[in-house]
PDB file of all heavy atoms in Angstrom:
ATOM      1  N   ASN A  82      41.157 -39.322  55.313  1.00 56.00           N
ATOM      2  CA  ASN A  82      40.117 -39.930  56.179  1.00 56.00           C
ATOM      3  C   ASN A  82      39.372 -38.886  56.985  1.00 56.00           C
ATOM      4  O   ASN A  82      38.144 -38.944  57.138  1.00 56.00           O
ATOM      5  CB  ASN A  82      40.780 -40.923  57.161  1.00 56.00           C
ATOM      6  CG  ASN A  82      41.090 -42.248  56.444  1.00 56.00           C
ATOM      7  OD1 ASN A  82      40.551 -42.486  55.352  1.00 56.00           O
ATOM      8  ND2 ASN A  82      41.938 -43.048  57.051  1.00 56.00           N
ATOM      9  N   LEU A  83      40.157 -37.912  57.478  1.00 48.00           N
ATOM     10  CA  LEU A  83      39.557 -36.850  58.279  1.00 48.00           C
ATOM     11  C   LEU A  83      38.542 -36.052  57.448  1.00 48.00           C
ATOM     12  O   LEU A  83      37.426 -35.740  57.895  1.00 48.00           O
ATOM     13  CB  LEU A  83      40.661 -35.922  58.815  1.00 48.00           C
ATOM     14  CG  LEU A  83      40.184 -34.864  59.807  1.00 48.00           C
ATOM     15  CD1 LEU A  83      39.653 -35.495  61.092  1.00 48.00           C
ATOM     16  CD2 LEU A  83      41.326 -33.894  60.137  1.00 48.00           C
ATOM     17  N   LYS A  84      38.998 -35.732  56.150  1.00 54.00           N
ATOM     18  CA  LYS A  84      38.105 -34.988  55.243  1.00 54.00           C
ATOM     19  C   LYS A  84      36.793 -35.754  55.043  1.00 54.00           C
ATOM     20  O   LYS A  84      35.698 -35.187  55.051  1.00 54.00           O
ATOM     21  CB  LYS A  84      38.780 -34.764  53.893  1.00 54.00           C
ATOM     22  CG  LYS A  84      39.658 -33.525  53.854  1.00 54.00           C
ATOM     23  CD  LYS A  84      40.209 -33.345  52.438  1.00 54.00           C
ATOM     24  CE  LYS A  84      41.113 -32.102  52.393  1.00 54.00           C
ATOM     25  NZ  LYS A  84      41.818 -32.043  51.108  1.00 54.00           N
ATOM     26  N   ASN A  85      36.933 -37.086  54.799  1.00 55.00           N
ATOM     27  CA  ASN A  85      35.740 -37.914  54.583  1.00 55.00           C
ATOM     28  C   ASN A  85      34.810 -37.893  55.799  1.00 55.00           C
ATOM     29  O   ASN A  85      33.583 -37.809  55.666  1.00 55.00           O
ATOM     30  CB  ASN A  85      36.140 -39.371  54.289  1.00 55.00           C
ATOM     31  CG  ASN A  85      36.695 -39.504  52.867  1.00 55.00           C
ATOM     32  OD1 ASN A  85      36.457 -38.622  52.040  1.00 55.00           O
ATOM     33  ND2 ASN A  85      37.429 -40.564  52.618  1.00 55.00           N
ATOM     34  N   LYS A  86      35.436 -37.964  56.980  1.00 56.00           N
ATOM     35  CA  LYS A  86      34.630 -37.959  58.211  1.00 56.00           C
ATOM     36  C   LYS A  86      33.859 -36.653  58.351  1.00 56.00           C
ATOM     37  O   LYS A  86      32.657 -36.620  58.655  1.00 56.00           O
ATOM     38  CB  LYS A  86      35.542 -38.150  59.443  1.00 56.00           C
ATOM     39  CG  LYS A  86      35.832 -39.614  59.744  1.00 56.00           C
ATOM     40  CD  LYS A  86      36.643 -39.738  61.011  1.00 56.00           C
ATOM     41  CE  LYS A  86      37.026 -41.207  61.231  1.00 56.00           C
ATOM     42  NZ  LYS A  86      37.993 -41.349  62.318  1.00 56.00           N
ATOM     43  N   VAL A  87      34.609 -35.510  58.077  1.00 50.00           N
ATOM     44  CA  VAL A  87      33.982 -34.168  58.194  1.00 50.00           C
ATOM     45  C   VAL A  87      32.828 -34.056  57.189  1.00 50.00           C
ATOM     46  O   VAL A  87      31.726 -33.593  57.514  1.00 50.00           O
ATOM     47  CB  VAL A  87      35.021 -33.050  57.962  1.00 50.00           C
ATOM     48  CG1 VAL A  87      34.337 -31.693  57.810  1.00 50.00           C
ATOM     49  CG2 VAL A  87      36.004 -33.017  59.119  1.00 50.00           C
ATOM     50  N   ALA A  88      33.103 -34.530  55.952  1.00 52.00           N
ATOM     51  CA  ALA A  88      32.059 -34.490  54.908  1.00 52.00           C
ATOM     52  C   ALA A  88      30.835 -35.295  55.331  1.00 52.00           C
ATOM     53  O   ALA A  88      29.686 -34.876  55.137  1.00 52.00           O
ATOM     54  CB  ALA A  88      32.632 -35.012  53.590  1.00 52.00           C
ATOM     55  N   GLY A  89      31.079 -36.448  55.939  1.00 53.00           N
ATOM     56  CA  GLY A  89      29.976 -37.307  56.410  1.00 53.00           C
ATOM     57  C   GLY A  89      29.139 -36.621  57.458  1.00 53.00           C
ATOM     58  O   GLY A  89      27.902 -36.635  57.389  1.00 53.00           O
ATOM     59  N   VAL A  90      29.797 -35.969  58.385  1.00 50.00           N
ATOM     60  CA  VAL A  90      29.084 -35.272  59.460  1.00 50.00           C
ATOM     61  C   VAL A  90      28.271 -34.122  58.887  1.00 50.00           C
ATOM     62  O   VAL A  90      27.106 -33.923  59.237  1.00 50.00           O
ATOM     63  CB  VAL A  90      30.100 -34.768  60.534  1.00 50.00           C
ATOM     64  CG1 VAL A  90      29.390 -33.830  61.528  1.00 50.00           C
ATOM     65  CG2 VAL A  90      30.731 -35.934  61.259  1.00 50.00           C
ATOM     66  N   CYS A  91      28.909 -33.369  57.921  1.00 50.00           N
ATOM     67  CA  CYS A  91      28.191 -32.244  57.277  1.00 50.00           C
ATOM     68  C   CYS A  91      26.940 -32.724  56.581  1.00 50.00           C
ATOM     69  O   CYS A  91      25.872 -32.107  56.694  1.00 50.00           O
ATOM     70  CB  CYS A  91      29.089 -31.538  56.278  1.00 50.00           C
ATOM     71  SG  CYS A  91      30.335 -30.546  57.106  1.00 50.00           S
ATOM     72  N   CYS A  92      27.063 -33.869  55.844  1.00 54.00           N
ATOM     73  CA  CYS A  92      25.901 -34.413  55.126  1.00 54.00           C
ATOM     74  C   CYS A  92      24.778 -34.785  56.091  1.00 54.00           C
ATOM     75  O   CYS A  92      23.597 -34.537  55.825  1.00 54.00           O
ATOM     76  CB  CYS A  92      26.304 -35.664  54.339  1.00 54.00           C
ATOM     77  SG  CYS A  92      27.069 -35.231  52.799  1.00 54.00           S
ATOM     78  N   ALA A  93      25.173 -35.352  57.205  1.00 61.00           N
ATOM     79  CA  ALA A  93      24.172 -35.738  58.208  1.00 61.00           C
ATOM     80  C   ALA A  93      23.444 -34.505  58.741  1.00 61.00           C
ATOM     81  O   ALA A  93      22.210 -34.509  58.888  1.00 61.00           O
ATOM     82  CB  ALA A  93      24.872 -36.495  59.349  1.00 61.00           C
ATOM     83  N   TYR A  94      24.192 -33.434  58.970  1.00 63.00           N
ATOM     84  CA  TYR A  94      23.586 -32.180  59.464  1.00 63.00           C
ATOM     85  C   TYR A  94      22.627 -31.619  58.432  1.00 63.00           C
ATOM     86  O   TYR A  94      21.525 -31.160  58.772  1.00 63.00           O
ATOM     87  CB  TYR A  94      24.677 -31.139  59.771  1.00 63.00           C
ATOM     88  CG  TYR A  94      25.219 -31.282  61.176  1.00 63.00           C
ATOM     89  CD1 TYR A  94      26.594 -31.430  61.408  1.00 63.00           C
ATOM     90  CD2 TYR A  94      24.339 -31.247  62.287  1.00 63.00           C
ATOM     91  CE1 TYR A  94      27.086 -31.561  62.692  1.00 63.00           C
ATOM     92  CE2 TYR A  94      24.854 -31.380  63.575  1.00 63.00           C
ATOM     93  CZ  TYR A  94      26.205 -31.542  63.779  1.00 63.00           C
ATOM     94  OH  TYR A  94      26.695 -31.681  65.042  1.00 63.00           O
ATOM     95  N   GLN A  95      23.077 -31.654  57.120  1.00 70.00           N
ATOM     96  CA  GLN A  95      22.224 -31.130  56.049  1.00 70.00           C
ATOM     97  C   GLN A  95      20.916 -31.918  55.946  1.00 70.00           C
ATOM     98  O   GLN A  95      19.830 -31.364  55.817  1.00 70.00           O
ATOM     99  CB  GLN A  95      22.955 -31.176  54.716  1.00 70.00           C
ATOM    100  CG  GLN A  95      23.957 -30.028  54.568  1.00 70.00           C
ATOM    101  CD  GLN A  95      24.884 -30.216  53.393  1.00 70.00           C
ATOM    102  OE1 GLN A  95      24.946 -31.298  52.804  1.00 70.00           O
ATOM    103  NE2 GLN A  95      25.612 -29.162  53.046  1.00 70.00           N
ATOM    104  N   ALA A  96      21.091 -33.245  56.025  1.00 63.00           N
ATOM    105  CA  ALA A  96      19.893 -34.112  55.944  1.00 63.00           C
ATOM    106  C   ALA A  96      18.950 -33.841  57.108  1.00 63.00           C
ATOM    107  O   ALA A  96      17.720 -33.759  56.950  1.00 63.00           O
ATOM    108  CB  ALA A  96      20.307 -35.574  55.940  1.00 63.00           C
ATOM    109  N   PHE A  97      19.541 -33.655  58.307  1.00 59.00           N
ATOM    110  CA  PHE A  97      18.733 -33.380  59.493  1.00 59.00           C
ATOM    111  C   PHE A  97      17.978 -32.049  59.365  1.00 59.00           C
ATOM    112  O   PHE A  97      16.789 -31.948  59.680  1.00 59.00           O
ATOM    113  CB  PHE A  97      19.631 -33.358  60.738  1.00 59.00           C
ATOM    114  CG  PHE A  97      18.873 -33.087  62.014  1.00 59.00           C
ATOM    115  CD1 PHE A  97      18.017 -34.052  62.541  1.00 59.00           C
ATOM    116  CD2 PHE A  97      19.006 -31.872  62.655  1.00 59.00           C
ATOM    117  CE1 PHE A  97      17.319 -33.793  63.701  1.00 59.00           C
ATOM    118  CE2 PHE A  97      18.300 -31.615  63.799  1.00 59.00           C
ATOM    119  CZ  PHE A  97      17.448 -32.567  64.331  1.00 59.00           C
TER     120      PHE A  97
END
Side-chain angles (χ1 to χ4, degrees):
Chain A
N82 281 345
L83 187 64
K84 274 184 181 171
N85 285 342
K86 274 184 185 171
V87 169
V90 170
C91 286
C92 279
Y94 273 125
Q95 281 168 348
F97 180 70

